[in-house]
Amino acid sequence: MTLTEQDIRQWDQTLQQATPRKLLEEAFSRFDNIAISFSGAEDVVLIDLAVRLRPDVRVFTLDTGRLHAETYRFLDQVRERYRIDIEVMFPQAEAVQKLVTEKGLFSFYQDTHHECCGIRKVEPLKRKLATLDAWITGQRKDQSPTRTDIPLVQLDTGLAAPGRQLVKFNPLANWSSERVWDYIRGNEVPFNSLHERGFVSIGCEPCTRPVLPNQHEREGRWWWEEATKKECGLHAVNLRE
């Protein structure tokens, strides 16, 4: 099934009033070869909704090798709670070894996070997405300046494999952080224990810190860089759009 940009825009418009559950239903009805990308609180909300529709929903995550210990425990909690397999994608060892040998373990503090994220996150993600027709993310419009215009459904031209079309769903795009956490508390959804210590947006340990009251959640990520550049490459299409 090949979709044009116009097809996607029209589909996105018809879904603007749809609930995340309804959007997931649409996604699953259109695509069999589809998976949820899992890392944080929003993604577990999606898993909680998805398993009610498709108990064998496919889920994958990226292990950069630099995650918090709490994050690894969180992954197992989700796996056990929903009785699902979570496919873990790892970076290429040779590329990591070359970066560390040439630049050390913390080069991103001097020359931006993009090279490290490219090796540890983007390449493994592209490798996984090359096997899929569509993927589902927990992006929200209010997460950062680079995400204010994200649609509910879009063509992912940035991460699609050559010669293939990749459709991306963002069912929680119109939700706020407050609504996400209302759902988590109301449905006793598992969450990363780091949230109880002031961490809001959680990534790799060297690039993540708690935020202070009234700080935006993304201020805890790559705090040494300018706010409009805080994408690691997983959602690079946001920067171009």
Side-chain angles (χ1 to χ4, degrees), residues 83-155:
R83 299 180 181 178
I84 57 173
D85 293 327
I86 299 178
E87 182 181 2
V88 182
M89 301 298 298
F90 299 95
Q92 299 285 3
E94 296 82 0
V96 174
Q97 183 175 356
K98 184 174 184 293
L99 174 65
V100 173
T101 299
E102 293 178 355
K103 294 189 173 182
L105 287 164
F106 300 97
S107 59
F108 38 81
Y109 290 140
Q110 282 74 48
D111 58 11
T112 80
H113 68 277
H114 296 290
E115 182 178 19
C116 186
C117 285
I119 292 170
R120 294 180 183 272
K121 299 174 77 172
V122 179
E123 189 281 329
L125 177 64
K126 284 185 174 181
R127 204 175 342 123
K128 177 58 186 177
L129 294 181
T131 70
L132 299 174
D133 296 324
W135 65 307
I136 302 166
T137 87
Q139 289 190 102
R140 303 189 335 266
K141 290 179 180 178
D142 66 347
Q143 282 176 320
S144 76
T146 61
R147 299 185 180 184
T148 54
D149 296 321
I150 56 172
L152 293 172
V153 58
Q154 63 190 135
L155 286 179

Side-chain angles (χ1 to χ4, degrees), residues 152-211:
L152 293 172
V153 58
Q154 63 190 135
L155 286 179
D156 194 336
T157 55
L159 294 175
R164 295 193 60 173
Q165 186 174 83
L166 181 67
V167 177
K168 181 178 181 180
F169 294 91
N170 307 300
L172 301 179
N174 295 327
W175 274 28
S176 64
S177 176
E178 180 180 9
R179 192 164 184 183
V180 168
W181 281 95
D182 282 346
Y183 185 97
I184 289 171
R185 288 189 290 265
N187 294 275
E188 298 183 344
V189 171
F191 60 87
N192 194 320
S193 63
L194 289 171
H195 289 300
E196 297 175 317
R197 292 162 45 193
F199 290 80
V200 181
S201 179
I202 301 170
C204 292
E205 188 277 333
C207 303
T208 304
R209 67 180 183 181
V211 296

